[in-house]
Amino acid sequence: MYVQLLVIFLSLIAAWYYSQGLTPWNRDHRRKQYVIFVCILLILQSGLRHVAVGPDTYAYMLSFENAGTTRWSDIWQNFYDVYILNTGKDAGYPLLEKIFYTICPEYRVYLFVIAIFFFWTFGRFIYFNTIKISDVLISLCLYQVLFYSFFSITGIRQTIATAFTLLGYEYIQKRRILPFFILILIASFVHKSVLIFLPFYFLARFPKSKLLLIGSIVALPIIFPLARQFATLLANLSASEAYMAYAQSEYETSGAQIFFVFMLLMALSSIIKYKYILTYKYIDTRPILCAFALALIFTPLTWVDPSLMRVVQYYSIFSLLLLPIIINVYSKNQSFILVMCILLLCIVLIRRNADYAFFWEEMNLGANYL
């Protein structure tokens, strides 16, 4: 928690610094510098973590070391086993580990490279779809609340896959289907759940994005009772034992309920101010609204098991772009709303009280390893 709050505090100071002396000619350059600064903070936050931070970091270290000592013939055989014999999963990731281990067998360096790759794509995603420095600040704070616990400290495979979708979004905007398809195909060898992002190429330009938002809200009473069956269907389609375990779990969903309320409020706010959001300055907001509508449709899965956020996040990450837009179109006193929003997000972080330690500190492994 304290490191997350420190990142937000440093970002606040940097936002003030880069906002000094803004002119129409240097505005974009200053915002770009601020995005770079924020991404460096996030890279350090992720790369310097102890292996006991997050439920999977230590397991990924064991996987990295195991892949490094695995014979190349077994790495290639794994492709045949996964994609022909349908045993195992995502053969591209052990290959990635093996290649990296051959070049540099240091897991800490590996963590940094993954963090640099993800936050480079994340920075582009934020920079090209925001207008002001304050927009970037809000996106950062929301990231710490919604996505830090996964992209920064947990799921390396899906973090890599999500980075490819963020790059792919640029090709969606440019309407270039071939490079988009190639990126998603490559990512699917690392985590095949990324294939759920493929339809977005066609849905991103849905002309009635307001209708899609309304439809997603109307569909919720139908989807919620069928959420477990929906999760089981996705697990069967992905042939994932992990997703099947999530689909069949009995889990406390209070966190998922809060997330759902947040998503629903965002959707309702977007519908009310739809005309203003659709014509918002220099940002193409239609794909953002469509992505958010899809995220809302998948949100009931998190009530089955919060781990199914892994499916939702390919689309819910667009909330990082939508929230600053909503704040801007609603608020006349934007400074007050900005401060209140940041305070609210910080309160959520304090209540959550997530453990963190740097790699040079002492920290016990989580209960899932015991």
Side-chain angles (χ1 to χ4, degrees):
M1 172 192 69
Y2 296 109
V3 172
Q4 289 179 272
L5 293 176
L6 177 62
V7 168
I8 291 176
F9 176 71
L10 293 175
S11 299
L12 274 168
I13 295 175
W16 171 82
Y17 172 78
Y18 286 109
S19 296
Q20 301 303 302
L22 284 180
T23 68
W25 295 274
N26 71 3
R27 189 177 302 274
D28 282 345
H29 180 65
R30 287 291 187 90
R31 183 167 53 87
K32 183 176 182 179
Q33 289 179 318
Y34 181 61
V35 169
I36 293 172
F37 174 83
V38 165
C39 288
I40 290 174
L41 285 181
L42 293 174
I43 289 168
L44 292 174
Q45 183 186 34
S46 179
L48 293 176
R49 72 188 187 271
H50 195 283
V51 293
V53 174
D56 295 332
T57 306
Y58 182 70
Y60 273 112
M61 183 183 75
L62 298 179
S63 173
F64 177 76
E65 293 174 349
N66 179 65
T69 56
T70 301
R71 295 178 302 176
W72 279 103
S73 59
D74 293 334
I75 294 291
W76 298 119
Q77 176 64 35
N78 191 40
F79 277 85
Y80 180 82
D81 294 341
V82 172
Y83 300 111
I84 303 300
L85 301 181
N86 199 29
T87 60
K89 62 180 181 180
D90 305 323
Y93 184 69
L95 174 61
L96 174 64
E97 290 178 309
K98 180 66 174 178
I99 292 172
F100 195 95
Y101 189 94
T102 302
I103 298 171
C104 178
E106 291 295 327
Y107 182 61
R108 179 64 49 190
V109 177
Y110 181 68
L111 288 180
F112 264 105
V113 170
I114 298 299
I116 290 169
F117 175 59
F118 176 76
F119 288 112
W120 169 67
T121 64
F122 178 82
R124 292 175 62 90
F125 180 68
I126 296 298
Y127 174 71
F128 288 123
N129 295 282
T130 55
I131 299 295
K132 301 181 295 184
I133 288 175
S134 61
D135 297 344
V136 180
L137 178 59
I138 285 293
S139 296
L140 166 73
C141 293
L142 185 58
Y143 172 86
Q144 289 293 323
V145 171
L146 291 185
F147 301 104
Y148 154 83
S149 61
F150 193 84
F151 295 129
S152 290
I153 63 170
T154 305
I156 292 179
R157 289 191 305 122
Q158 200 161 357
T159 296
I160 295 170
T162 302
F164 276 91
T165 67
L166 298 182
L167 287 176
Y169 180 59
E170 296 182 26
Y171 291 112
I172 290 177
Q173 292 175 304
K174 298 173 183 177
R175 307 309 295 161
R176 297 180 60 189
I177 189 171
L178 183 59
F180 169 78
F181 179 79
I182 291 173
L183 282 174
I184 301 304
L185 180 62
I186 293 172
S188 70
F189 287 106
V190 177
H191 205 293
K192 62 180 152 187
S193 67
V194 75
L195 294 174
I196 203 169
F197 196 71
L198 272 177
F200 187 55
Y201 183 89
F202 306 98
L203 293 172
R205 292 294 170 183
F206 188 71
K208 303 292 184 180
S209 50
K210 183 177 182 179
L211 183 62
L212 190 59
L213 277 169
I214 295 173
S216 65
I217 295 176
V218 172
L220 288 175
I222 301 172
I223 297 174
F224 266 110
L226 302 174
R228 191 170 298 279
Q229 292 89 327
F230 187 23
T232 302
L233 173 63
L234 290 176
N236 286 326
L237 290 175
S238 64
S240 170
E241 294 181 3
Y243 282 147
M244 185 60 73
Y246 300 148
Q248 296 174 351
S249 71
E250 298 294 336
Y251 205 96
E252 172 60 45
T253 60
S254 58
Q257 293 166 7
I258 296 172
F259 175 70
F260 168 71
V261 171
F262 166 76
M263 295 290 286
L264 185 59
L265 288 175
M266 289 266 287
L268 291 172
S269 300
S270 300
I271 291 170
I272 294 170
K273 290 284 188 176
Y274 175 77
K275 181 177 67 174
Y276 299 97
I277 292 176
L278 197 63
T279 57
Y280 182 74
K281 296 183 180 179
Y282 308 107
I283 298 175
D284 185 6
T285 55
R286 190 183 300 279
I288 298 172
L289 292 169
C290 291
F292 193 82
L294 293 171
L296 189 60
I297 290 173
F298 286 115
T299 297
L301 294 176
T302 63
W303 286 48
V304 176
D305 190 307
S307 296
L308 287 170
M309 180 69 76
R310 298 161 186 261
V311 176
V312 184
Q313 66 193 8
Y314 288 117
Y315 293 109
S316 62
I317 197 169
F318 283 83
S319 63
L320 300 181
L321 308 181
L322 185 57
L323 182 58
I325 295 171
I326 290 175
I327 291 174
N328 289 329
V329 299
Y330 267 90
S331 58
K332 294 181 181 179
N333 188 348
Q334 293 185 4
S335 297
F336 174 76
I337 298 296
L338 181 67
V339 171
M340 293 304 296
C341 186
I342 293 173
L343 284 176
L344 180 60
L345 293 172
C346 286
I347 289 171
V348 174
L349 287 178
I350 293 171
R351 286 176 60 87
R352 190 172 292 171
N353 194 24
D355 291 331
Y356 185 93
F358 293 104
F359 72 88
W360 59 82
E361 297 179 303
E362 293 291 331
M363 186 176 187
N364 294 326
L365 291 173
N368 56 307
Y369 292 109
L370 304 179

